[in-house]
Amino acid sequence: MSSFTDEDNTCGQALLNIVARGSAIIAELLRLSHNIPTVFKLDNKHDVDRYSTLLVDFSYFTSVDAFTEKLEKNSDLQDRDEEFKENHLSLLKRFYKVFESVYKYITDINRFIEELDEGIYIQQSLETVSMDTIGKQLLCESIYLYGVMLLVIDNKYDGVVRERILVAYHRYNANKASVDSHIDDVCKLIRSTGITPQRRPPNYPINYFSRVAIREDFINITIGRLRSDDVYNQMSNYPQPEHRSVALSTQASMLYVILFFAPDVLHNQQSVMREIVDKHFPDNWVINVYMGITVNLVQEWAAFKAARAALGNTFENVRAVTQKHVAAIPRLCDRALKLLQEGVLVEEYVLDHVPSLMTFLRQCNTSLRWVMLHTSPPPPLNKRCKQLYDLVMAQNVQLSDVIALLLNTSQLEHLLKDMFKSLLDNKQQKWTSCQKETSDRLVELADVFSGTKPLARVEKNDNLQAWFREIAKQTSDIDYNDHAMAGRKIAQLIQAIEEVQEFHQLENNWQIKQFLLDTRSYLHQMIRTINVKEGVLIQIQIIGDLSYAWHIIDDYTKYMQNGIKKDPSLVRKLRATFLKLASALDLPLVRIGEAGTEDLKSVSECYSKELVSYVRKVLQIIPQSMFSLLEEIIKVLTNDMVEVPTRLDKDKLKDYAQLQERYKVAKLTHAVSVFTDGMLMMKATLVGVIKVDPKKLLEDGVRKELVTRVAEAFHNGLIFNRNKVNDMKEKLHVLAGKTDGFRRSFEYIQDYLNIFGLNIWQEEVMRIINFNVEQESNTFLRQKVYDWQSYYQSPNIPIPTFAAVDTDSETFIGRLAREILAITDPTLTVYISPMKAWYDMKTNEEVLNNDIFAKIVEALEPFGLHGLDRLYSFMIVTELQQFTKFTFNTLLNDKAMTMQLTGLMRALHPHSKVVESPQKTYTPVFTKFTKLFAAFTPFILHIGQLQVIRDLIALTLHSMTRFESKALLRAVETLNSSLVGNMTSHYALGHVTPTDSLYEITPYLTSCGLTQPYLQVYNTFKDIPMLPVLLFIHLHCQMPKLSYNSHCNEVLLGRRTSDPLDITIYNIGVITILRQFPNDYMTEYLELCGQYINSVSKTSASVPNIAVYLLKQFTSLSNTSLSQVKTAVSECTLDTFAPKATA
């Protein structure tokens, strides 16, 4: 007989594809609900300040012109809007696509109904489809899934957030939205309903469900079928009358949703609602709508007169129903434990007691379902729901007993499934074996009565011989494939053997009696085997449905974890529970699988990942307990135990034995090993479509706990108080001790866990550092990398994020970086290059030196120093961008200033000539630009400060690599030299040089400290032709602040402490700026400085000592060749440079 969904049935295939698409849309809605950017919620001051103007609700459509005008008048707002668009457009498209899919889904349903009426599907109408078994299922599911979509949207997506998302999509896709015919309809459907946890709008959700019109006759037909029929034929799986509400629970959920499309039934048709409640909700008022989304009918139907009145009958026996299920739980749990005892569930027992076992499983699952649903927390602000909840809980409900029954039932179902699967796989082989054994024994008995085979006190009997041979032949002739005939034939043979045994008094001979007993046993085994049907497995699967607990099972997590802490072997039963929960995946996948669409994989992965995430959450208690034990172990090893010296006097041996301490360590270590064994008992398990390996699960759990604790230590340990002297050094010292404790604990325990402790430690610390550097760098980037986009973030081993503790930094790495910058502020300190240290300008005391970076390595590992280096690089790029922007917007946009600079450049051209009257040529320009350059200096000093710190970081990393990893350093140096040589040869031949290898080796070079920050080109900028002249003028505007210090034959200090200047930092800043432009800029700057020195020295008696010193320091720091310097300045001037100190 053909099926409604056969490939040649276009009507069935069309409806099946619609329903399959509905399940996929719900999965996508649920998946995206976990990835709503928090910025759309505007739930913190930072987001409100930055984006409240840009993220607007549907009020935007009434004031588009005003919004556009406001945006156009504010350039900063435009930049912020463009930045937001670049970062969120791809996600906004995905949100709009799924919202649009919901609208298209209901329009496709309406079109399908219209096509049925128009006769497009031959011999099919709405009535004929509703009469077909599968057809009525699909009709009900189609409108039910649409209702679920609406409920999911309203529950998972806040109304104002939805509107902001749609408005943002509309603004950023103006061209597409103008031709997209669905944007208005989508906005109408998805707009906010106004519901909040504290407020329920009038006539909700009727108005919401009526936003797209649906044929009334279609709704009435589906409601009629769900009212009167057993749509999914579940009553055969629940024959007991008291289980009817469980049998009809699936269509009860459908009725709950579809009734919102028929408000008249809910409001006025009391007889219909009474019938619905009596049949589907006689003893339950908390129901599962879809994949664990539960609702309380008391609240949901409170506004509907007929529904509320009909539901009143259910509450008449609340106490009795509760007592029945609560009292059954301990009794069922005890029996389940007895069945799970070793040696009870053997093959013979199971095959002989299939009906009673099925009945027992029904009772267990029915009580579990009722108790778990009705003990879930009630909706807030509803007194009646709270009263019913209190009434249920007052019946002495013990949630620990509930979870115990769930675990035992799951384990029992799992064992029965495995047993029946094994029986089905070996069914024919086992049946054939029993058939052969039976036949052989009957032939042997025939031989005994033939007199040819000696057997004590057995006389020859030709009749029995012939009879046994005939029975043996009949046994051999039984056909396995004809199950019904085979069963009857075997039963007849058993009866015949029993009769012949009694008639001929064969029981008097114990040997023959045993033969006959064994023969009957094999015949019974054949009957049992042939009666094993796949229907038993299907029935166990249906009875054991746990989809209703997809979310509420989280309320029992603490009970599971407490059980694991007491007995790690409980993981075995938990494995069965997770497999039982995984069966819930069949609900959204069954129609997708039948339709054969491409959504099967993505939907399976969506729900499987959610379930695996819960499995990890439950089992995370094992790593947490292990880390608690590790803390105690390290405490004993560090504080209590004394290290045994290499040489020890015999008299002191007892003192160093430390038996109590060693026993304590051994006991704690054994406890860790027990937890490890408990986790590994779980075995490899296929959860949905994802295979869970217990060893990998244990390692991931250990990694997760390590990441959580280390990230928390880094966050809490690097919060600084700038009013306290040496606060940073003290904090780093304390953090270094904690880091060392973590590392030592891993070294100690890795063998007991069978993991690579050092590898895990390095990988996870590196991930924490890189993730925090990435998030901190977002403040400097236009195209941001959000938490959920990060390469370093992991859903299985998430790196925790913490609220910012100050206004400047987002993470601990940012606080550390800015603390170093604050301590080494070039306006307060001076950097002494030979000492690699900073000194306070007022007190001349050292405030920081190069040792701080070694301390950072102890606290944050080398990855922390590398991360700081990356962060400082971002800061330098930002400073360079701001410098160039300031130069263009402030200085070069001034026409008078530009003309004066142009005049000076003409007067100084060519730079090789000596200016005859330098006082007249230079002084007016220097004087005019002095005040204008006040904002110029901080850029240069900050860039120089960052460069010096980067240089010291590279020095520290290089020194450490030389001592700790010589082989790596040599390998990286060799590879770098090879690449540089290869590039040189390619350029010499005019070939294009491949850059892939350069990108790959750069992280290794940075990690090994093989970088030269002063020579680095950070970015490409638009040319500024007058930049060398500007920097030259700025340099000479700073000279009056400087004097030469005779006590330090290198450093130039400011004359006035109120206007200090660290000239070394200044020169490094200028070098960095010039490096970002063509080499001609550096040459021109040197020529201008040289021209000034030559002109002043030749037209006056004295040599400009400070200028010469600055030039020599500049050339030294910039790695400029001596020949280039001597081209700019006469060699005689350089040689005779002998500055004198000034008072």
Side-chain angles (χ1 to χ4, degrees), residues 379-615:
L381 306 179
N382 190 301
K383 293 182 179 179
R384 183 56 176 157
C385 293
K386 183 68 166 59
Q387 289 172 355
L388 290 171
Y389 173 77
D390 292 340
L391 181 59
V392 171
M393 297 304 293
Q395 306 307 312
N396 196 25
V397 179
Q398 299 295 326
L399 298 185
S400 57
D401 292 342
V402 176
I403 195 63
L405 179 59
L406 175 61
L407 295 175
N408 292 330
T409 304
S410 302
Q411 182 71 359
L412 180 59
E413 289 176 358
H414 179 65
L415 292 176
L416 290 175
K417 284 181 183 179
D418 284 350
M419 187 174 291
F420 276 102
K421 285 177 183 177
S422 176
L423 287 171
L424 286 170
D425 291 341
N426 303 311
K427 180 178 178 181
Q428 185 170 1
Q429 179 184 352
K430 188 166 187 177
W431 192 89
T432 305
S433 174
C434 291
Q435 183 184 40
K436 185 177 183 305
E437 286 289 338
T438 304
S439 178
D440 290 346
R441 288 178 181 274
L442 289 170
V443 170
E444 288 183 24
L445 281 171
D447 291 341
V448 167
F449 287 102
S450 68
T452 58
K453 183 173 286 189
L455 194 64
R457 295 189 299 276
V458 176
E459 297 178 358
K460 180 178 179 181
N461 189 326
D462 293 334
N463 291 333
L464 285 176
Q465 176 191 358
W467 188 86
F468 279 118
R469 288 193 183 279
E470 177 61 24
I471 294 298
K473 183 177 181 301
Q474 290 181 21
T475 303
S476 300
D477 291 341
I478 297 174
D479 185 9
Y480 167 80
N481 296 317
D482 190 352
H483 290 183
M485 182 62 71
R488 287 195 296 271
K489 186 66 176 176
I490 294 170
Q492 292 171 2
L493 290 175
I494 293 172
Q495 184 177 1
I497 291 173
E498 289 175 348
E499 289 175 354
V500 77
Q501 181 177 339
E502 293 176 3
F503 182 74
H504 291 278
Q505 298 181 350
L506 298 179
E507 66 271 9
N508 295 332
N509 189 311
W510 65 269
Q511 290 175 309
I512 294 176
K513 182 180 179 180
Q514 186 63 43
F515 261 71
L516 291 174
L517 183 63
D518 291 344
T519 302
R520 288 200 307 273
S521 176
Y522 280 116
L523 287 171
H524 278 294
Q525 190 66 29
M526 290 172 67
I527 291 179
R528 294 192 194 100
T529 304
I530 208 167
N531 285 332
V532 175
K533 300 289 194 301
E534 191 175 359
V536 178
L537 274 176
I538 296 172
Q539 197 171 45
I540 294 175
Q541 186 81 357
I542 293 171
I543 293 171
D545 173 51
L546 199 62
S547 59
Y548 63 88
W550 188 261
H551 294 302
I552 60 177
I553 197 170
D554 197 31
D555 298 337
Y556 296 85
T557 301
K558 61 180 180 180
Y559 298 102
M560 298 182 193
Q561 293 181 335
N562 289 337
I564 294 173
K565 289 175 73 174
K566 294 177 183 176
D567 180 15
S569 64
L570 187 69
V571 170
R572 290 177 178 174
K573 291 183 180 179
L574 279 174
R575 175 176 179 265
T577 305
F578 297 144
L579 290 173
K580 181 180 175 72
L581 196 58
S583 64
L585 271 63
D586 294 340
L587 174 65
L589 295 177
V590 61
R591 298 306 184 191
I592 298 176
E594 290 175 1
T597 64
E598 296 179 352
D599 296 320
L600 183 63
K601 182 180 179 182
S602 64
V603 175
S604 301
E605 288 181 348
C606 171
Y607 293 112
S608 297
K609 286 179 180 178
E610 191 173 340
L611 181 53
V612 170
S613 176
Y614 178 70
V615 172

Side-chain angles (χ1 to χ4, degrees), residues 350-361:
V350 171
L351 293 176
D352 288 341
H353 296 83
V354 169
S356 63
L357 287 172
M358 292 297 104
T359 301
F360 176 69
L361 289 179

